[in-house]
Structure formats: C-alpha cells, structure tokens
Amino acid sequence: MEQQVLGGLINFPQIIVEIDSFFSENDLSHRTHKALYSVLKSIVLSGQKVEKIVLAQKLSDLKIIKFEELDIFTYIEDISFSKIQPNGITDVVKELIKLRIRRDLWD
C-alpha cells in the first residue's frame, strides 16, 4: 500500500496539498518510504516540479541509495508505474493511517 501511495503521489503530486493536514511520513512504516514522502512533500510545497531524477538525487544525498536490491532511481521509476488514481490515493492514505494507529496501539 505504501508503494501504491508513493507512486500515485509521484504521478499526482498535487494530492500532497490535499492530504498534508492529516497524513505525514510517520504514517509510513518503512524508513525509505518515510524519506521519499518527506522529500516529495518538500518539493511539492516549495512549488517545484516533481522529477524522478531529482527525488533519487535528494534521497542519495540522504544516503538512501537502494531499496532492497534496487538502486533508488530504479525503485522510484518502478513505483511510479502505479495505476492508482487521485481519489484512490486518498482512500489508501486513510488505510495507512489506520494501520499506523494499530501499530502505535500494539507498541
């Protein structure tokens, strides 16, 4: 689900503005996903155009150069093929928030 949301946000970055008031990187569980969302959000909120190569470079600057066995650019490229649509992104974000609440309660 995290990959779906991040891929969707790469393709529809304007959704970040809509979800910013209730979704944060803390709603994601994987360290790389948290960093990717944070960088993506920073780019969008500063008014810059989202470009995959820029995302990969900024993550590399943070010493995140791989996701599992994939280099970070390939990973970003792969998740950007997500077919999720803008309204679906918001729905999945809400599910991720529920999962984060469950994780918090479990801990």
Side-chain angles (χ1 to χ4, degrees):
M1 286 193 328
E2 291 184 12
Q3 292 172 334
Q4 244 186 333
V5 166
L6 293 169
L9 292 174
I10 291 168
N11 294 320
F12 302 103
Q14 70 278 8
I15 300 297
I16 289 175
V17 176
E18 296 175 24
I19 64 173
D20 184 47
S21 65
F22 60 90
F23 185 73
S24 77
E25 60 272 0
N26 294 324
D27 293 310
L28 300 166
S29 62
H30 196 282
R31 175 182 168 263
T32 300
H33 292 164
K34 289 178 182 212
L36 177 54
Y37 180 76
S38 181
V39 168
L40 188 57
K41 178 180 166 179
S42 174
I43 290 170
V44 169
L45 295 181
S46 69
Q48 299 173 46
K49 182 180 178 197
V50 172
E51 296 181 43
K52 291 177 257 186
I53 191 72
V54 172
L55 284 171
Q57 184 58 54
K58 288 184 180 284
L59 287 171
S60 292
D61 292 346
L62 296 171
K63 308 289 189 244
I64 299 172
I65 56 172
K66 287 188 173 246
F67 183 84
E68 295 176 0
E69 296 301 315
L70 295 174
D71 68 85
I72 200 63
F73 179 79
T74 302
Y75 180 67
I76 290 169
E77 184 75 15
D78 286 355
I79 65 172
S80 72
F81 288 115
S82 173
K83 300 289 185 200
I84 194 167
Q85 294 299 307
N87 60 335
I89 295 169
T90 304
D91 292 342
V92 177
V93 158
K94 290 175 183 174
E95 291 303 312
L96 287 173
I97 292 168
K98 289 178 190 175
L99 288 172
R100 192 251 320 139
I101 291 169
R102 288 183 189 139
R103 280 193 311 268
D104 289 351
L105 291 172
W106 185 258
D107 292 339

